[in-house]
Amino acid sequence: AQKVTQAQTEISVVEKEDVTLDCVYETRDTTYYLFWYKQPPSGELVFLIRRNSFDEQNEISGRYSWNFQKSTSSFNFTITASQVVDSAVYFCAPFDTGRRALTFGSGTRLQVQP
Amino acid sequence: GAVVSQHPSWVICKSGTSVKIECRSLDFQATTMFWYRQFPKQSLMLMATSNEGSKATYEQGVEKDKFLINHASLTLSTLTVTSAHPEDSSFYICSARDAGQGAGETQYFGPGTRLLVL
C-alpha cells in the first residue's frame, strides 16, 4: 500500500516569492507513478504532472518545477515567482499499483497574497 | 483534450430521496472511472472504482447498497446516493482514467458535485 505525507498544511507567501511544497511517499513497488494535482477554490482538480519512478530527471514547466529524489522518497514541487492565481490546495498522489488507484496526501493549502 | 464533465454541479434534496450523479469523459474513452468524496478542508477519499461492463469495487467502509455505481459505457459512469441523509452531504468528485496508450494511469477529474441533504 502507498502512503504519502504532505507535512505543510498551509503556506502563505507574498506574490513573486518562490515556494516549495513538500511530498514524501512510501511504497513497496519497484516502479510507480507519482502525481501532483491542484485544486483551486472552484473545487475541480487540475492535473499538473505525472512522474514515472525510473525517470529521475527534474522537470520544469514554466514557473513550475519538480524535484524527484528517489533516494529520499520525495517529490517536491516548486512554484517560482508565485502569483495570486496559484492560490489553491495542492495534492501529491502516488499511484497504488495494488488498488490501481491514486492515494491522495492531505494536501497543502497555498495562499498567495498580493 | 481529456475533459471530464459531471452533472449536476449542485444538488439540494430532502432526506430520504435518492440522487443520481453523472460522470462523462467527453473526448476519450475511460474503461475505469473513480468516485471520491471530499469533506470541507479534507483530502479526497476514494469511494469506489468503476469498471466498464462489470461491478464496481468499493473501498472498505463504503456501503454498496447506499452508493450505487453503474458504468454502462466507456464514457459514462453514474453514482446514485440512495435514501440520502444529512450525513451524506459532501463534495463528490469523479475521475476517469484515459484508456489510450501512453496515458500512464493519469486520471482526469470532473468539476465535482456538491450535495446538500436537508
Side-chain angles (χ1 to χ4, degrees):
Chain A
Q2 309 275 1
K3 184 180 174 184
V4 56
T5 301
Q6 293 182 257
Q8 304 147 307
T9 307
E10 289 196 35
I11 301 175
S12 183
V13 299
V14 176
E15 212 169 13
K16 297 185 183 176
E17 283 186 28
D18 299 346
V19 58
T20 295
L21 310 181
D22 298 333
C23 172
V24 175
Y25 61 92
E26 292 179 28
T27 179
R28 284 181 282 187
D29 295 334
T30 51
T31 59
Y32 47 90
Y33 289 107
L34 298 166
F35 294 82
W36 274 93
Y37 285 88
K38 171 183 180 180
Q39 187 176 38
S42 62
E44 181 171 358
L45 272 85
V46 178
F47 165 70
L48 295 179
I49 190 171
R50 178 188 79 233
R51 170 49 50 92
N52 191 311
S53 59
F54 57 72
D55 179 2
E56 294 197 54
Q57 280 192 332
N58 291 327
E59 182 146 348
I60 298 175
S61 176
R63 296 184 297 107
Y64 296 169
S65 62
W66 288 268
N67 182 275
F68 176 42
Q69 296 286 337
K70 201 169 181 178
S71 59
T72 56
S73 296
S74 66
F75 187 38
N76 297 337
F77 172 34
T78 297
I79 301 175
T80 303
S82 59
Q83 299 176 1
V84 173
V85 293
D86 295 328
S87 297
V89 180
Y90 291 86
F91 291 99
C92 177
F95 179 74
D96 187 330
T97 53
R99 292 160 68 227
R100 293 190 61 77
L102 294 172
T103 299
F104 281 86
S106 53
T108 296
R109 183 176 299 274
L110 173 66
Q111 290 272 9
V112 181
Q113 309 288 347
Chain B
V3 178
V4 177
S5 71
Q6 220 175 305
H7 179 80
S9 54
W10 265 101
V11 59
I12 302 173
C13 68
K14 292 183 179 179
S15 187
T17 59
S18 293
V19 175
K20 180 187 278 190
I21 303 170
E22 290 187 351
C23 178
R24 292 181 187 272
S25 57
L26 297 185
D27 51 2
F28 65 98
Q29 293 186 329
T31 52
T32 306
M33 291 184 171
F34 303 85
W35 288 95
Y36 295 84
R37 186 172 178 176
Q38 186 180 33
F39 291 107
K41 297 200 173 185
Q42 292 191 23
S43 187
L44 280 77
M45 287 176 42
L46 179 65
M47 299 174 66
T49 301
S50 166
N51 295 297
E52 186 264 338
S54 64
K55 290 183 179 179
T57 303
Y58 290 81
E59 293 296 298
Q60 197 170 9
V62 178
E63 298 175 56
K64 300 178 184 182
D65 296 331
K66 173 77 172 174
F67 300 100
L68 300 179
I69 290 173
N70 183 275
H71 192 159
S73 77
L74 287 172
T75 58
L76 172 64
S77 176
T78 60
L79 167 69
T80 301
V81 183
T82 61
S83 188
H85 287 96
E87 57 266 29
D88 298 322
S89 300
S90 188
F91 188 50
Y92 291 87
I93 312 172
C94 74
S95 70
R97 182 160 64 212
D98 191 339
Q101 287 187 338
E105 306 294 351
T106 300
Q107 291 181 33
Y108 299 95
F109 285 79
T113 297
R114 296 190 188 279
L115 171 63
L116 177 61
V117 185
L118 302 176

